[in-house]
Amino acid sequence: QVQLVESGGGWVEPGGSLRLSCAASGSTLESHAIGWFRQAPGNEREGVSCINRSDGSTYYADSVKGRFTISRDNAKNTVYLQMNSLKPEDTAVYYCAADPDLYCDTDTVLNALDFRSWGQGTQVTVSS
């Protein structure tokens, strides 16, 4: 089972940017679909983005489309989430997740139950 570690979270003002990293060990991310989720206090876990293992196609939630970009660096065994034009409602703990069998449908919302491996999460806070 792949082990995942998120990093890059922190505090930014509205309109700012952050880049989250999801570093893997124990297996290659290239052989997995990788999803990003977020959860704010009192809210359910929300699927944010996903990148597939085969064709590299991507999924974005409507709330982040045009502002967030997911990418993969196979040599570094790392997946990134570039977050631009951040809003206070983006504040949450962000998690990356991996699954060796899942294909993320670009037109279907992400389901956390579809992912086998999870990182510990990293806090993102957007406020003025």
Side-chain angles (χ1 to χ4, degrees), residues 11 30 33 48 93:
W11 174 88
E30 186 179 8
V48 174
V93 177

Side-chain angles (χ1 to χ4, degrees), residues 19-125:
R19 189 179 74 163
L20 305 183
S21 298
C22 177
S25 62
S27 187
T28 59
L29 291 183
E30 186 179 8
S31 64
H32 294 72
I34 307 298
W36 282 98
F37 293 79
R38 65 186 183 186
Q39 188 166 21
N43 292 349
E44 296 183 348
R45 190 162 296 188
E46 174 190 16
V48 174
S49 186
C50 186
I51 186 167
N52 284 306
R53 67 184 184 273
S54 55
D55 57 8
S57 59
T58 56
Y59 161 85
Y60 298 96
D62 288 341
S63 58
V64 306
K65 194 172 298 181
R67 300 187 297 120
F68 291 11
T69 303
I70 190 170
S71 62
R72 180 178 61 218
D73 188 331
N74 292 331
K76 296 181 179 179
N77 210 23
T78 300
V79 169
Y80 303 98
L81 185 68
Q82 178 68 45
M83 306 186 296
N84 298 324
S85 302
L86 284 163
K87 305 174 181 179
E89 51 263 44
D90 295 318
T91 296
V93 177
Y94 283 71
Y95 302 87
C96 66
D99 194 272
D101 302 316
L102 176 69
Y103 182 85
C104 301
D105 190 330
T106 57
D107 297 323
T108 304
V109 297
L110 293 177
N111 187 343
L113 296 176
D114 291 333
F115 290 85
R116 184 177 304 177
S117 302
W118 289 82
Q120 83 292 340
T122 184
Q123 176 70 48
V124 171
T125 302

